[in-house]
Amino acid sequence: MSKKIIEEDLKNIISTDLPWEEFKDSTVLISGASGFLPAYMVDTLMYLNKIRGLNIEVIGLVRNKEKALSRFANYQNRKDFRLLVQDVCSPIDCTDNIDYIIHAASQASPKYYGSDPVGTLSANILGTHNLLTLACKNSLKSFLFFSSCEVYGQVVYSQIPTKEDRYGYLDPLHLRSCYAESKRMGETMCLSWFSQYGLPTKIVRPFHTYGFGMSLNDGRVYADFVADILSNRDIHIKSDGMATRAFCYIADATMGFFTVLLNGENGQAYNVGNDLCEISIMDLANRLTTLFPDKKLNVVKDCPANDSGYLKSNVSRSCPDITKIATLGWQPKTSIEDGFRRTVLSFL
């Protein structure tokens, strides 16, 4: 089932009206390649080679070789894909002529913010520095930095949906800020390298993306819900369920990432999210139970879990304004129901 859904997603992605031919005979380095979001970009590039014969060489920079070999098992005998195993926080050991760099290596799960704040911020700052340094050694066509909607902090209600130039309160002395503050700095570094060295840097800010390949034990509520459904157990909510989030399906988000990489303006940031799929956590739980009525699952409200490593967000509502990326021709297409149905089925 997962193979069928992934192939359908990839067909939809490459059917997007983008200048895919610009990738022909190019080399693309993707940091954090086996992570949830960048892995679908790897899949897309490999699919372009298979369907359109673009002869793209994909270099996946990864820290965990075993995880990467598992995620990319289908590509191990292909000459157009190889792994570069090292920590992105160390100088990048790559002498290839690189055309595109996608920097997505980051600890995105909140469970790491409390247990490994130094590791969390290092990939976003030291890793960004190392990849920008590598980029300057090449005649780069485009550099894409994966930031986050977390950079907005706690914006006032009147600024939601949130435009790219609206920011709220973020406490630098709150441990959870190790992620958002370092993403902010990563963005500033990209802008600085563009301004001083003319490096063609672009930034995406993903909003609550879900789909095949996401970790079901990373602590985020929608991953917990999918894990509950797959285990045929009631969906458990450990809050009042009133916080709202705008959820974006992985195939839609991947189209957005490539749209910015290929068509985005240098030195600019773009929201990538689905503003039409903003929903409360409680409503999401209820909808998911109705998607699979044969399982006869209920929604159960629990006491908050005692997990000292997981630092919860104080943001009660998060929704992007996607007007800016829409001018590049991108719009998300997948509904909550269809996206989460495909997600659950993809894990079977």
Side-chain angles (χ1 to χ4, degrees):
M1 181 62 74
S2 62
K3 182 178 179 180
K4 177 177 180 291
I5 287 176
I6 293 169
E7 183 149 2
E8 288 175 352
D9 283 348
L10 296 178
K11 285 181 179 178
N12 286 332
I13 292 168
I14 70 167
S15 69
T16 307
D17 185 20
L18 286 175
W20 298 110
E21 294 297 320
E22 291 187 13
F23 283 123
K24 186 173 177 58
D25 299 325
S26 66
T27 299
V28 183
L29 186 147
I30 304 178
S31 74
S34 58
F36 168 44
L37 300 182
Y40 239 50
M41 298 189 78
V42 172
D43 291 335
T44 302
L45 294 170
M46 300 300 287
Y47 194 69
L48 282 168
N49 278 349
K50 177 182 176 181
I51 301 301
R52 300 193 183 182
L54 294 187
N55 190 37
I56 308 164
E57 182 181 4
V58 180
I59 302 174
L61 192 159
V62 299
R63 185 171 57 174
N64 187 325
K65 183 178 181 179
E66 289 70 28
K67 176 185 175 183
L69 289 175
S70 175
R71 177 60 177 82
F72 301 126
N74 293 336
Y75 308 144
Q76 289 184 39
N77 295 320
R78 287 178 54 167
K79 295 181 179 180
D80 51 356
F81 177 79
R82 63 185 172 90
L83 294 176
L84 174 60
V85 182
Q86 71 153 90
D87 191 329
V88 74
C89 297
S90 301
I92 309 302
D93 185 19
C94 182
T95 58
D96 296 75
N97 293 321
I98 308 296
D99 299 292
Y100 297 90
I101 291 178
I102 299 166
H103 178 25
S106 180
Q107 293 186 156
S109 171
K111 74 178 183 180
Y112 295 116
Y113 303 165
S115 62
D116 186 20
V118 174
T120 298
L121 64 85
S122 294
N124 297 328
I125 298 177
L126 299 178
T128 303
H129 178 272
N130 290 332
L131 286 169
L132 289 169
T133 299
L134 176 66
C136 286
K137 298 176 182 178
N138 291 269
S139 299
L140 212 69
K141 296 179 180 178
S142 192
F143 182 108
L144 184 68
F145 175 65
F146 269 69
S147 185
S148 167
C149 62
E150 296 251 359
V151 300
Y152 293 115
Q154 299 180 57
V155 295
V156 297
Y157 196 84
S158 62
Q159 294 182 343
I160 305 173
T162 306
K163 292 180 178 291
E164 285 83 355
D165 59 353
R166 297 290 184 264
Y167 301 93
Y169 176 72
L170 189 62
D171 182 1
L173 291 183
H174 191 293
L175 191 57
R176 199 181 194 283
S177 298
C178 64
Y179 182 70
E181 288 283 18
S182 59
K183 285 296 189 186
R184 284 184 172 185
M185 176 53 72
E187 290 193 13
T188 304
M189 293 170 72
C190 288
L191 178 63
S192 298
W193 261 254
F194 166 60
S195 175
Q196 188 165 340
Y197 302 116
L199 200 67
T201 58
K202 297 150 187 179
I203 299 159
V204 287
R205 295 172 180 165
F207 277 71
H208 309 290
T209 309
Y210 67 95
F212 172 77
M214 68 181 185
S215 175
L216 298 182
N217 63 354
D218 76 353
R220 283 180 278 199
V221 65
Y222 49 98
D224 290 344
F225 291 174
V226 172
D228 287 338
I229 293 171
L230 290 168
S231 300
N232 295 310
R233 60 179 179 243
D234 290 337
I235 292 180
H236 288 252
I237 295 181
K238 299 177 175 64
S239 68
D240 62 10
M242 293 300 102
T244 67
R245 297 292 185 263
F247 294 101
C248 187
Y249 183 58
I250 181 66
D252 288 339
T254 303
M255 295 178 205
F257 304 149
F258 277 110
T259 296
V260 175
L261 177 68
L262 294 171
N263 290 342
E265 184 179 343
N266 293 332
Q268 292 294 312
Y270 296 84
N271 291 334
V272 179
N274 194 332
D275 57 340
L276 298 180
C277 288
E278 183 184 6
I279 187 174
S280 75
I281 300 305
M282 179 62 74
D283 285 345
L284 176 63
N286 287 323
R287 285 202 202 182
L288 292 184
T289 60
T290 62
L291 285 180
F292 301 93
D294 56 308
K295 292 179 177 287
K296 299 179 180 179
L297 303 180
N298 298 306
V299 177
V300 179
K301 292 185 69 173
D302 288 337
C303 295
N306 184 21
D307 185 349
S308 60
Y310 189 98
L311 300 180
K312 293 184 177 180
S313 171
N314 292 322
V315 176
S316 61
R317 184 187 177 200
S318 176
C319 183
D321 183 311
I322 60 171
T323 303
K324 188 174 180 180
I325 191 173
T327 64
L328 303 179
W330 179 81
Q331 287 283 347
K333 305 173 183 177
T334 310
S335 68
I336 286 279
E337 289 80 6
D338 189 33
F340 274 97
R341 183 183 295 106
R342 295 178 66 80
T343 299
V344 171
L345 293 176
S346 73
F347 280 95
L348 297 177

